[in-house]
Amino acid sequence: MKPRPRTTPSPTRRRTSAPSARRRMLLVVGVLSLASLGLVARAFDLQVVRKEFYQNQGDARFLREVPIAVSRGTIFDRNGEPLAVSTPVVSIWANPSEVLNSEDKLPALAKAIGMDADALKQYLMQRSEREFVYLKRQMSPDAAQVVLDLGVPGVNGQREFRRFYPSGPVTSHVLGFTNIDDHGQEGLELAFDDWLAGKPGAKRVIRDRMGHVVEDVELVRAPQPGRDITLSIDRRIQFLAYNELKNTIEQSDADSGSMVILDVHTGEVLAMVNWPTYNPNALRGSNPSSRRNRAMTDVVEPGSTIKPFVMAAALSSGKYTPTGPLIDTGNGHFYYISHDIRDTHAYGMLSPTGILAKSSNIGAAKVAMTLDTGLMYDTYRAFGFGNSTNSGFPGEASGYLKPGKSWGMLEKAILAYGYGLNVTPLQLANGYATIADSGVMHLPTFVKGSDNEAKQIVDPKIANELVQMMESVTQPGGTAAPWAWIANYGVAGKTGTAHKASAGGYSKNNYSAAFAGIVPASNPRMAAVVVIDNPKKGSYYGALVSGPVFAKVMDGALRLMDVPPDNIGRWYVGGPLQGQNGLTSNKQPTVEQVDDAPIEGATP
């Protein structure tokens, strides 16, 4: 077999391989060109066509609108002393998923915010789908910085404000308190919430993946801080009233008590205190019943403190003057429609002034029975009984007064010594303030200098006569002497001791002890009411329990308000014992009348 001869490539084969290389080159160039066009198209789509969509998606991850906290307005007393202020605090918040990624730091974080580490982990895991949860609200800035210095990923701080009350329990019932979001919940914090709260602002910021703000983008809404308010409350008088009321309730083992002091010429509330009370700076330890402003929300049957208003109707009728005609109160018992209306002593013949001085139930009842029912009812209504005072305080009670057209004769007699109706301590104080200001009634107000409504409801001459008549109550021989005396000042007032209502009638052993008064008697500036509920130690009489509270508090209030004395050397303990208005006093002051209960058989 012959070997094949070696051949060389023909020129034709070399020419056919060259176009194949060019095609590959063209293919590569084409592919690269198409890829470039695709990238350009994609870039165009991202930057132009769907720019807004992707920008929003990016913003959703890094752009946030955050609130700008504002300070709540400060509440001042009438002398410019702060009663409620807002202090800056920091609330710690977190992104749960980010914090859980650093599980090794959870024990330190839990300790810093005062939680158990396992409880914190469970709390975060239950909320892992969220991007924002609070870990600890309203920490002090120093304590919050300790948490932030741990550097736990996803943990951040938010500036807020917390309310602080410098006077604590002394002013708690008037001021109320705010919740954790700084909104008023009770008292004047609630009544003036729109005024005090202000409006938080808002801004857009860019946060990094750790949640830290890296740039402020724009101001969305400017913050509007809350506005300040100046109250009519005098913190010094408030403290005096609080201290005396507290001491008396503790010493007498009473259930509760209230005191209200008004400026008679303006209706401004100078002090309003209750016991028991609470500390608004530590709400968790308070009992809900202790947070009730009893001077506004609780009602009592006023007992003998209502008698000056019966006398207002009597003087208005034209049938009576302060000195006559005389009323025969007999031997201390007056039987009417099978009901025994009683006095503690046989007072015999008494003038209208004497009826107040001796607190005669029989005298008040007999006077009322001679009056037109419509006149007596209208007089009670005019002085505000059965109606809210419209002070604007949240939850204020209206009290109760039965319509006059339904009064029977016995019912009218009982209403004359303070049963069958109920009032709040503020209503009663406002009634006495109206008498003190020559018969002009002012709407009670908690705001200093407010232009509140005033109207004449009784003739000035009658109102001034009533003040003089009530002054006999605190003079020797009257039921409040010497317990309501104030050195160098004349006091006009009225005592009241009433059986408390209970299931099926009236309790034999539970009493409400009250004193309502006006000072100074010759030129009234302030009116006050003290109500002690169910004193169980010592005396239960209004004169002996509430009278001294009135005297001690008003003694200090008169001096704090720079009210000049009007009774220097006129009387004092151990001094002259001859009363005014024809009343002859004995050397040993008589104990006031305990008001007979209105239901036969319910009294002791």
Side-chain angles (χ1 to χ4, degrees), residues 59-111:
D59 290 346
R61 289 163 174 76
F62 298 103
L63 186 64
R64 293 286 188 271
E65 183 175 299
V66 297
I68 303 175
V70 293
S71 175
R72 192 173 175 86
T74 300
I75 300 178
F76 297 98
D77 87 333
R78 66 184 303 108
N79 300 309
E81 296 292 333
L83 300 178
V85 297
S86 290
T87 57
V89 292
V90 177
S91 289
I92 300 298
W93 65 273
N95 184 323
S97 60
E98 292 187 21
V99 178
L100 290 170
N101 288 334
S102 303
E103 190 171 339
D104 59 313
K105 294 188 176 183
L106 285 181
L109 175 61
K111 182 179 179 181

Side-chain angles (χ1 to χ4, degrees), residues 308-318 320 375-376 378-385 430-442 454-467 469-470 518:
F309 305 100
V310 178
M311 293 305 166
L315 298 180
S316 298
S317 72
Y320 295 89
L375 172 63
M376 185 172 164
D378 289 343
T379 300
Y380 277 21
R381 292 287 289 187
F383 277 101
F385 304 128
N430 199 41
Y432 276 78
T434 299
I435 294 174
D437 196 27
S438 300
V440 176
M441 173 174 280
H442 301 269
K455 60 181 178 180
Q456 188 83 43
I457 67 164
V458 69
D459 186 273
K461 179 177 181 294
I462 292 175
N464 295 333
E465 288 176 341
L466 286 170
V467 173
M469 293 168 70
M470 285 190 289
I518 297 165

Side-chain angles (χ1 to χ4, degrees), residues 208-355:
D208 62 16
R209 66 182 186 86
M210 303 293 292
H212 302 135
V213 175
V214 296
E215 182 182 351
D216 289 341
V217 177
E218 63 176 326
L219 179 65
V220 177
R221 183 175 60 255
Q224 299 179 20
R227 291 172 286 183
D228 299 339
I229 189 170
T230 300
L231 301 184
S232 59
I233 296 293
D234 188 309
R235 190 177 68 167
R236 303 167 301 174
I237 300 176
Q238 183 84 3
F239 178 79
L240 284 174
Y242 171 85
N243 194 50
E244 289 300 332
L245 185 71
K246 174 179 179 290
N247 290 341
T248 297
I249 290 175
E250 290 177 345
Q251 291 168 7
S252 63
D253 192 25
D255 292 343
S256 62
S258 301
M259 184 173 188
V260 180
I261 305 174
L262 299 179
D263 185 314
V264 303
H265 299 306
T266 63
E268 292 180 353
V269 180
L270 300 176
M272 178 180 285
V273 295
N274 302 274
W275 185 266
T277 186
Y278 68 99
N279 187 349
N281 298 309
L283 283 174
R284 287 189 177 181
S286 65
N287 187 317
S289 65
S290 69
R291 300 201 293 262
R292 195 167 69 246
N293 186 348
R294 299 169 190 270
M296 304 287 292
T297 63
D298 287 17
V299 294
V300 296
E301 288 183 295
S304 287
T305 58
I306 203 70
K307 290 173 182 173
F309 305 100
V310 178
M311 293 305 166
L315 298 180
S316 298
S317 72
K319 296 180 180 180
Y320 295 89
T321 69
T323 57
L326 299 179
I327 302 296
D328 185 5
T329 64
N331 64 357
H333 291 270
F334 173 51
Y335 294 94
Y336 184 75
I337 314 181
S338 301
H339 188 83
D340 182 15
I341 300 174
R342 295 176 293 178
D343 288 340
T344 53
H345 296 79
Y347 294 122
M349 304 299 289
L350 289 176
S351 68
T353 298
I355 291 172

Side-chain angles (χ1 to χ4, degrees), residues 63 188 324 362 467 480 482 577 598:
L63 186 64
L188 298 182
I362 296 173
V467 173
L577 294 178

